[in-house]
Amino acid sequence: FTVETIEATERQILTDLKWRMNPPTNLRFISYLLRLLPRWSNAGSAKHFAQTKSMIYEVSRYLAELSVCVSHFSFSYNSSTVAYASILCAMEILQNKSQIPPIPYEARVNFLNTMAETCGIFPESPEVRRCRAALKALCPEMFESDELPPEFQRADLVEDAPESEDEPAGGKSSPVCVADHYSDSPNSRRKRSRTSA
């Protein structure tokens, strides 16, 4: 093959894909959408807010990662819808758990209103309802139990919530994600390319 043939083929592939090579993922949308979660004020609110936001992020991240394993989600829902439904499910899961203080009603309503105004996504829309139901079907025990699953009872998730808005909740750690573990290893391609330059 000549260079021109390869370039023409690459250009044709990119044109056919309409240059959609790096779309936002469910996890990226979760991070963006949680920035709209309003801070609440009450006794100990700074730590409570950070802990709650961290737990919402971790539980919604877990649900979004589970959804990747089911092709129905990829073909039926936008990434933003899966992210929003995951956040709503996480809020529902955490609302009655004894390990986490409840999310104030006003903060929850403000978040839902902000989402409707800025993104045009409503919790009662048929698409969001179907997506939430499908997420609940993936792990019904999370919704039925009064306690958090053991994966989310780690002290670093509940006690050491991040202060930075850039990492809205929980840093890179996830109960189910191993990609971060491997990308931080010394044999990682990403690390080698950075250190060799």
Side-chain angles (χ1 to χ4, degrees):
F1 297 102
T2 66
V3 171
E4 292 79 20
T5 304
I6 294 171
E7 285 179 357
T9 304
E10 286 178 351
R11 195 172 300 111
Q12 183 60 46
I13 291 170
L14 290 171
T15 302
D16 290 346
L17 293 175
K18 297 181 179 139
W19 289 86
R20 292 187 209 151
M21 297 299 297
N22 192 15
T25 64
N26 300 341
L27 298 179
R28 180 58 55 200
F29 273 114
I30 289 171
S31 293
Y32 290 147
L33 296 179
L34 280 179
R35 291 179 183 177
L36 299 175
L37 185 67
R39 288 190 175 274
W40 50 85
S41 58
N42 56 16
S45 65
K47 185 162 179 85
H48 173 218
F49 173 78
Q51 286 176 343
T52 304
K53 189 173 181 181
S54 175
M55 289 304 297
I56 292 170
Y57 178 80
E58 288 299 327
V59 173
S60 58
R61 179 177 177 172
Y62 177 79
L63 293 170
E65 287 176 352
L66 284 179
S67 74
V68 172
C69 300
V70 181
S71 61
H72 169 73
F73 285 95
S74 299
F75 296 123
S76 302
Y77 307 108
N78 293 328
S79 295
S80 58
T81 303
V82 174
Y84 185 54
S86 297
I87 291 170
L88 294 176
C89 286
M91 288 178 157
E92 181 181 337
I93 289 168
L94 296 173
Q95 193 63 35
N96 298 314
K97 304 297 187 222
S98 59
Q99 299 94 332
I100 300 292
I103 302 163
Y105 175 78
E106 297 81 21
R108 188 180 175 104
V109 169
N110 286 342
F111 175 71
L112 297 176
N113 288 337
T114 302
M115 287 296 302
E117 290 170 13
T118 58
C119 303
I121 300 177
F122 300 89
E124 64 277 349
S125 73
E127 185 178 27
V128 172
R129 284 177 171 243
R130 283 192 306 273
C131 189
R132 285 181 72 189
L135 287 169
K136 287 180 180 184
L138 287 177
C139 50
E141 62 280 352
M142 285 184 75
F143 294 87
E144 297 163 359
S145 172
D146 291 335
E147 299 293 320
L148 282 171
E151 298 87 6
F152 299 104
Q153 292 182 15
R154 298 187 346 232
D156 62 322
L157 289 179
V158 177
E159 294 174 6
D160 298 329
E163 298 295 326
S164 168
E165 284 294 318
D166 294 333
E167 275 188 60
K172 294 170 91 178
S173 175
S174 170
V176 295
C177 183
V178 295
D180 292 332
H181 169 73
Y182 289 111
S183 68
D184 291 340
S185 71
N187 297 328
S188 169
R189 236 173 106 198
R190 194 165 151 209
K191 291 270 185 180
R192 282 194 309 247
S193 65
R194 284 186 192 161
T195 57
S196 64

